[in-house]
Amino acid sequence: MASLKELAKRQEGLVGGHRACAGCGASAAIRQILLAAGDKPTVCGICTGCMEVVTTIFPFTAWNVNLVHNAFENSAATTSGMEAAYKALKRNGKISEDMNFIAFGGDGGTYDIGLQSLSGAIERGHKMLYVCYDNGAYMNTGYQRSSATPYTAHTTTSPSGSKIPGKQQKRKDLTEIIVAHNPAYAAQTTPGYYMDLIRKVEKALAADGPSFINVLSPCVPGWGYPPEQSMNISKLAVETLFWPLYEWQDGKYKINVKPREPKPVTEFLKQQARFRHIFKPGNEHLVEEIQAYVDKQWERLLGKEEASK
Amino acid sequence: MKVIAKTGNEAMAYAMKQINPDVVAAYPITPATEVVQIFSNYVADGEVDTEFVAAESEHSALSACVGASVAGGRVMTSTASQGLALMHEILYIAAGNHLPIVIALVNRSLSAPINIHCDHSDTMGSREAGWMQFYSANSQEAYDSIIIALKVAETCGVPAIVSTDAFIISHCMDRLEVLEDEEVQKFIGEYNPKYYALDIGKPKTYGPLDLQDYFFEHKRSQIDAFSKVLGTYNKIAQEYEKLSGRYYPAVEEYRTDGAEVAIFTAGSTADTAKEVVDDLREQGRKIGLVRMRMWRPLPIEEIKKALSKFKAVAVMDRSDTMADFGGPVFLETRGILYDLDKRPIITDYVYGLGGRNVEIADIVRVYDEITEVAKTGKVSKPVTYLGVRGEE
């Protein structure tokens, strides 16, 4: 694994000057991911969404690697096409270098509208890494709910009203959906644990086949917290077991961080305006429900790890 | 020259084999399924070097084609009907990025009601997407057009659709003259795009966000590229004639000398209408046929030249615009003829939707009615739905 010192010497794949919000978790993650991939030329695809919009406003680009944007729901299919062309051009001698292929998408482009495209690309076995930067809603268009939005979170299409307290459904477990595809590698991480992120990207790119990393990416305006808190909130998601760091390969689960004394989930939720309403008197049961759900999911994950040993 | 027996689908797949693209990403759909199936066999038997991407939908198929084409590959696919409708979003993106992808398409009606047979509503619904459109009259033309269209597409940076009529051409065995593989390869040449995403020495962003300050210029440049297509096509079609002995003008005239009226139509119906023209000409009728082969870009001068000599023209449209004013060929042709000092009278016959058979008698009737219109100068019915129950 590349050390911090080595990473610091690599050329940045995503440079500054783009228009992401101060404290953006997703852009920090992508920057780290491209550093981790930096030992080889990298070609990227990206869904329409926050990261595409803030980094590619013509005539500027923040990308120091080749980037292809096609549409909202098809970054997996598009990147799979690039990988197919790469194989063909390599075979007929037009290209000689080894390359990484990485597709990016937000939770809108991945959990929802692009799920079919992703499923197809993984099933077909293209050697590419798909990275979902999951910020838990359609942040680019103004914070609408997605199937990655957590239970009770306020979004502009699951608002906390006088009758309904935010989103009424639990999150879709996308990482497990991908695991069910039997890919070469799958993992969850978050940029607060940056060395975990780096290691997982290296592992994913070294895997012989399709790989997937789900990156929980705090969003300052969508989640509602001060910009300097992004990495702390990213860590709190792990320390409260809201977002376990784990990986899956060859049928085996490995949980990468097991907090000795997990913090109550309220420590993660309380930092964010999108959960403010559940701390009002009369909503105590919602907080209890969330805690119970987090505990249950954690137990299930521990069980999977144990069972696959 | 080799002569073989092939269906329309087999002919298009055979042309794809001889082109030997870098990537074919496709999803099978009736009645174009065979194109994908036959091509898969070529891949499985090692007869092509192509990476075949068996996509999980047409949307992903064309998305993967866009990725492969941006990456620098020579790329083709095949679809029909609902498949083209599902590709619709990506059609514009492929064209907007100047990616010379070629679709071997079989024209089939669009749902609802669901139907698997021929009409032109699928491609006519994609007229504004920025793709060239070639409507073939038979298998031979479909085979030749695939090869010609690929070269025009790569020369102009404009994608192309080559289509045949569902079942009437796609599944009908026909005599086919084919070129040798080497001849095809020599004709199309190597594909070496100026910019491609696997060119790692010069990182670039493809498909960036393009707002009020540049979008319009980029769209204008796309239209500019499109305006060069027809001239390029004419040149390449002549080169192809030298190679094959077969020439396909953008607009074909058939026995129009001395004719006072004509049918203007496309696809297999034009081949049927030629038989009718031969018969009626023998009876001394002053009739002719004009066949529209290329409908994007619109060969405007060719259409003016072909149609301006008639007193009256009956367009036969195999789709409708839902404008309550007939089909797209009719409406656009009226626009093209508007500039002429002396315009023919023009009427429309929407026919054959959902594969409704068009028979010799139907075409004779159209000639009879348009002859009457020319004689009297009066149009009682600008748009007729030909052969529909309860219509007459």
Side-chain angles (χ1 to χ4, degrees):
Chain A
M1 184 181 157
S3 67
L4 261 187
K5 216 169 166 182
E6 287 164 322
L7 291 174
K9 285 181 196 157
R10 284 186 183 166
Q11 194 191 35
E12 296 272 6
L14 184 74
V15 300
H18 57 71
R19 303 185 195 186
C21 308
C24 172
S27 60
I30 293 177
R31 187 179 163 211
Q32 295 292 323
I33 290 162
L34 293 179
L35 278 178
D39 62 332
K40 258 193 235 169
T42 298
V43 181
C44 299
I46 195 164
C47 290
T48 310
C50 275
M51 285 301 100
E52 171 260 335
V53 163
V54 301
T55 58
T56 74
I57 304 179
F58 188 89
F60 306 106
T61 180
W63 296 75
N64 237 340
V65 295
N66 280 310
L67 176 76
V68 176
H69 164 250
N70 186 345
F72 186 14
E73 69 282 56
N74 62 2
S75 145
T78 306
T79 309
S80 81
M82 292 198 275
E83 189 259 4
Y86 165 75
K87 278 198 270 191
L89 296 179
K90 209 165 185 193
R91 202 161 46 224
N92 67 25
K94 278 192 169 177
I95 280 171
S96 55
E97 303 89 344
D98 281 341
M99 292 181 202
N100 296 318
F101 290 90
I102 308 179
F104 292 99
D107 48 293
T110 311
Y111 282 72
D112 291 345
I113 200 167
L115 183 59
Q116 174 184 318
S117 171
L118 174 59
S119 174
I122 293 180
E123 184 273 332
R124 291 192 298 271
H126 299 276
K127 190 172 168 358
M128 57 183 257
L129 163 61
Y130 190 101
V131 174
C132 173
Y133 63 93
D134 171 2
N135 50 25
Y138 306 153
M139 300 311 187
N140 183 45
T141 47
Y143 331 120
Q144 292 84 27
R145 60 97 75 190
S146 76
S147 61
T149 303
Y151 180 56
T152 73
H154 166 96
T155 71
T156 52
T157 51
S158 65
S160 57
S162 55
K163 294 263 164 58
I164 303 172
K167 193 191 172 199
Q168 291 301 288
Q169 299 79 23
K170 306 280 192 310
R171 294 168 51 88
K172 185 191 279 179
D173 194 343
L174 178 65
T175 311
E176 287 305 292
I177 293 173
I178 301 305
V179 165
H181 285 70
N182 201 20
Y185 179 78
Q188 280 194 177
T189 185
T190 185
Y193 284 81
Y194 56 88
M195 290 314 280
D196 183 77
L197 172 64
I198 299 278
R199 191 181 59 79
K200 284 175 176 167
V201 171
E202 288 184 353
K203 235 173 150 173
L205 291 173
D208 190 21
S211 52
F212 171 83
I213 302 180
N214 204 352
V215 185
L216 186 77
S217 304
C219 170
V220 173
W223 294 12
Y225 61 83
E228 69 276 13
Q229 290 302 315
S230 278
M231 292 305 127
N232 285 337
I233 287 188
S234 168
K235 284 180 198 157
L236 274 172
V238 178
E239 290 161 3
T240 60
L241 310 181
F242 174 86
W243 186 258
L245 300 189
Y246 73 95
E247 59 195 329
W248 179 96
Q249 196 165 28
D250 294 328
K252 286 190 171 53
Y253 285 87
K254 186 175 183 336
I255 302 172
N256 310 104
V257 174
K258 287 182 184 167
R260 205 163 291 166
E261 283 182 42
K263 292 178 178 167
V265 75
T266 49
E267 296 212 10
F268 172 66
L269 305 176
K270 266 188 177 159
Q271 310 281 334
Q272 306 170 45
R274 64 177 172 157
F275 296 110
R276 194 179 288 143
H277 57 287
I278 66 169
F279 293 101
K280 284 185 183 154
N283 279 343
E284 291 79 2
H285 65 286
L286 293 176
V287 177
E288 282 164 26
E289 249 185 78
I290 296 169
Q291 184 65 62
Y293 184 71
V294 164
D295 292 345
K296 197 173 110 192
Q297 291 294 96
W298 177 251
E299 286 302 321
R300 279 175 65 177
L301 185 60
L302 286 173
K304 283 179 194 167
E305 184 188 44
E306 189 55 36
S308 66
K309 261 180 188 162
Chain B
M1 186 192 67
K2 207 162 61 177
V3 178
I4 50 180
K6 290 235 182 259
T7 65
N9 281 342
E10 290 167 353
M12 293 213 283
Y14 195 78
M16 287 169 74
K17 174 180 104 99
Q18 294 188 305
I19 287 167
N20 194 11
D22 295 309
V23 176
V24 168
Y27 188 82
I29 180 170
T30 304
T33 306
E34 285 176 328
V35 178
V36 183
Q37 246 171 248
I38 295 164
F39 197 82
S40 307
N41 284 333
Y42 293 142
V43 175
D45 294 337
E47 292 187 58
V48 287
D49 306 310
T50 309
E51 273 299 313
F52 176 63
V53 179
E56 85 295 335
S57 71
E58 288 88 353
H59 193 282
S60 284
L62 192 59
S63 297
C65 285
V66 165
S69 185
V70 172
R74 173 172 274 161
V75 181
M76 301 182 76
T77 186
S78 172
T79 195
S81 180
Q82 306 301 120
L84 185 68
L86 192 54
M87 287 177 175
H88 192 70
E89 179 194 27
I90 312 304
L91 289 176
Y92 286 78
I93 295 172
N97 285 303
H98 298 258
L99 302 174
I101 300 162
V102 174
I103 302 180
L105 185 135
V106 182
N107 282 119
R108 165 188 149 183
S109 61
L110 283 175
S111 286
I114 190 165
N115 174 296
I116 56 168
H117 294 280
C118 178
D119 66 42
H120 297 158
S121 53
D122 48 6
T123 44
M124 283 297 166
S126 297
R127 306 202 294 295
E128 270 105 57
W131 289 59
M132 289 179 248
Q133 292 195 351
F134 298 96
Y135 293 81
S136 314
N138 49 54
S139 296
Q140 181 71 59
E141 186 179 343
Y143 166 85
D144 293 324
S145 296
I146 291 269
I147 298 165
I148 296 169
L150 181 98
K151 187 163 180 174
V152 180
E154 291 179 356
T155 307
C156 298
V158 173
I161 294 172
V162 174
S163 68
T164 66
D165 286 350
F167 296 103
I168 304 161
I169 300 174
S170 68
H171 286 63
C172 188
M173 192 66 77
D174 210 347
R175 178 185 185 278
L176 188 71
E177 295 181 6
V178 294
L179 300 167
E180 297 299 328
D181 292 357
E182 304 75 48
E183 289 179 305
V184 173
Q185 281 301 316
K186 203 177 156 215
F187 179 76
I188 60 175
E190 232 184 81
Y191 178 54
N192 290 310
K194 194 168 167 197
Y195 304 107
Y196 58 103
L198 299 187
D199 185 4
I200 48 164
K202 293 175 271 180
K204 283 187 179 58
T205 294
Y206 299 81
L209 179 65
D210 199 15
L211 299 175
Q212 305 94 316
D213 42 1
Y214 289 100
F215 178 92
F216 206 171
E217 282 73 20
H218 290 141
K219 266 297 149 194
R220 187 69 185 88
S221 77
Q222 188 190 340
I223 296 159
D224 274 344
F226 218 77
S227 71
K228 294 186 179 80
V229 166
L230 187 59
T232 308
Y233 171 78
N234 287 334
K235 205 173 125 260
I236 289 174
Q238 280 166 17
E239 279 172 38
Y240 191 77
E241 184 187 16
K242 273 185 212 138
L243 177 66
S244 69
R246 294 180 293 276
Y247 178 66
Y248 298 99
V251 176
E252 182 196 1
E253 296 189 36
Y254 185 75
R255 302 190 72 171
T256 54
D257 284 347
E260 291 178 354
V261 300
I263 283 177
F264 184 38
T265 193
S268 57
T269 303
D271 263 15
T272 312
K274 283 180 184 175
E275 302 284 327
V276 177
V277 170
D278 289 346
D279 287 350
L280 296 184
R281 278 259 170 177
E282 257 178 51
Q283 298 168 22
R285 299 271 298 271
K286 293 178 176 173
I287 60 154
L289 175 82
V290 179
R291 180 167 74 93
M292 113 16 196
R293 168 174 145 73
M294 177 193 267
W295 201 243
R296 279 297 181 275
L298 280 174
I300 292 182
E301 293 311 317
E302 285 83 348
I303 292 170
K304 279 185 192 166
K305 187 171 156 278
L307 299 185
S308 59
K309 56 178 159 286
F310 305 114
K311 288 183 180 161
V313 173
V315 172
M316 288 183 71
D317 257 307
R318 205 157 193 164
S319 65
D320 196 274
T321 54
M322 297 294 158
D324 195 19
F325 200 46
V329 179
F330 173 62
L331 282 180
E332 293 188 349
T333 303
R334 282 173 80 94
I336 291 165
L337 300 182
Y338 185 82
D339 287 336
L340 295 175
D341 295 331
K342 199 170 144 281
R343 291 190 290 269
I345 299 172
I346 174 167
T347 63
D348 195 23
Y349 290 82
V350 176
Y351 78 98
L353 302 192
R356 175 65 51 90
N357 206 18
V358 58
E359 305 197 348
I360 299 280
D362 297 315
I363 296 170
V364 171
R365 176 190 145 185
V366 174
Y367 274 120
D368 287 348
E369 289 182 3
I370 198 67
T371 303
E372 187 62 20
V373 165
K375 205 186 287 173
T376 60
K378 279 190 190 128
V379 176
S380 56
K381 214 173 174 190
V383 180
T384 302
Y385 289 85
L386 194 63
V388 181
R389 290 186 191 91
E391 188 76 15
E392 317 301 328

